[in-house]
Amino acid sequence: MFKWMMENNLNWSAIFHNHIDVILKEKVKEIPEIETLSDKDKVYWKNIYENNFPKQLRNTTFLMMFGHFEEMLYLLWKQYNPSNIELDKKGFGITKFKTFIKTTLKTDIGQHHAYQQISDAQKIRNSLLHIAGRVSLSKDTQALNELIARKPEMYSIHLDRVQLSYDGVLNFQKAVRSITEELLNKALVDPLIE
């Protein structure tokens, strides 16, 4: 049941994104036919539906998926933690669970692709939530710029704001699915984690 819930909650975020994306594209097609709008307003609304709303949709979907991941980490830690591994008190966000993840997976998470991808995504998440994605307001602008430069297929900067690509959201979803399934499968196979 837990695995079903874990997979379906993540899927619903993707379904939400895809459903709203289709609606936005249909709305763009209707704009030229709206007689009450001036040509200038039609150009404005076309830009909003083609550019601004899809960016906000990607951000919203990404943040929903990140929230899902944090909740799954908590539930996995709470339910499948026979060694009673404590949360890392110095950590924040997903880094609180670093010892639990490392112990459960029995691997160096510094080399774990999905964990590293999510760790990077946490920096993007924090920028979206705490500084509205504005790179120049980051406590560590250089690190944020370097992350974005390293992952141009996932992130970019436009007008000083972090932008997520469609592939960025998709890759993040895959990383979340991968690591949560791996954690659950490992916990179920080896419930007495040392």
Side-chain angles (χ1 to χ4, degrees):
M1 181 65 157
F2 185 88
K3 187 172 184 175
W4 178 87
M5 176 200 63
M6 187 174 70
E7 291 173 359
N8 280 309
N9 285 347
L10 188 60
N11 288 343
W12 277 110
S13 295
I15 291 167
F16 164 80
H17 175 276
N18 294 341
H19 183 75
I20 300 301
D21 190 51
V22 167
I23 291 170
L24 292 174
K25 288 175 181 166
E26 289 300 314
K27 189 68 175 172
V28 168
K29 293 177 187 175
E30 295 173 10
I31 291 173
E33 307 302 319
I34 301 174
E35 295 175 10
T36 56
L37 291 177
S38 69
D39 288 343
K40 184 178 175 183
D41 286 341
K42 288 177 183 179
V43 169
Y44 170 79
W45 283 109
K46 186 175 187 306
N47 180 55
I48 294 295
Y49 277 91
E50 285 182 335
N51 297 308
N52 294 31
F53 287 170
K55 288 176 190 173
Q56 293 303 318
L57 177 60
R58 286 190 301 273
N59 289 353
T60 301
T61 304
F62 170 80
L63 292 171
M64 288 183 343
M65 288 178 178
F66 205 98
H68 163 82
F69 179 64
E70 288 178 310
E71 181 66 10
M72 290 302 99
L73 274 181
Y74 173 79
L75 294 173
L76 287 163
W77 169 77
K78 194 77 171 161
Q79 184 72 29
Y80 301 102
N81 187 7
S83 300
N84 293 319
I85 298 165
E86 294 289 325
L87 292 179
D88 298 338
K89 299 208 185 302
K90 293 181 183 178
F92 63 93
I94 67 167
T95 58
K96 286 183 178 188
F97 298 94
K98 195 172 185 177
T99 302
F100 170 71
I101 295 169
K102 182 179 178 178
T103 304
T104 303
L105 298 181
K106 296 180 181 175
T107 189
D108 174 10
I109 58 175
Q111 302 300 315
H112 193 278
H113 178 72
Y115 181 84
Q116 288 308 306
Q117 192 169 352
I118 293 168
S119 181
D120 287 344
Q122 181 168 255
K123 295 173 184 127
I124 301 298
R125 172 211 175 264
N126 291 344
S127 77
L128 292 173
L129 288 177
H130 301 299
I131 54 175
R134 193 170 289 283
V135 177
S136 63
L137 293 179
S138 174
K139 290 179 182 177
D140 195 349
T141 302
Q142 182 178 348
L144 192 54
N145 276 315
E146 288 171 1
L147 165 61
I148 292 166
R150 251 187 8 258
K151 306 276 185 167
E153 71 286 0
M154 296 178 67
Y155 313 117
S156 62
I157 299 171
H158 180 70
L159 300 174
D160 191 37
R161 294 192 192 271
V162 173
Q163 303 289 312
L164 284 105
S165 70
Y166 176 82
D167 286 342
V169 176
L170 182 61
N171 287 335
F172 179 70
Q173 178 190 18
K174 289 176 182 175
V176 168
R177 182 178 317 283
S178 170
I179 198 166
T180 52
E181 285 179 357
E182 192 176 349
L183 283 165
L184 181 62
N185 290 338
K186 187 65 176 171
L188 291 174
V189 169
D190 191 6
L192 298 176
I193 298 166
E194 297 174 13

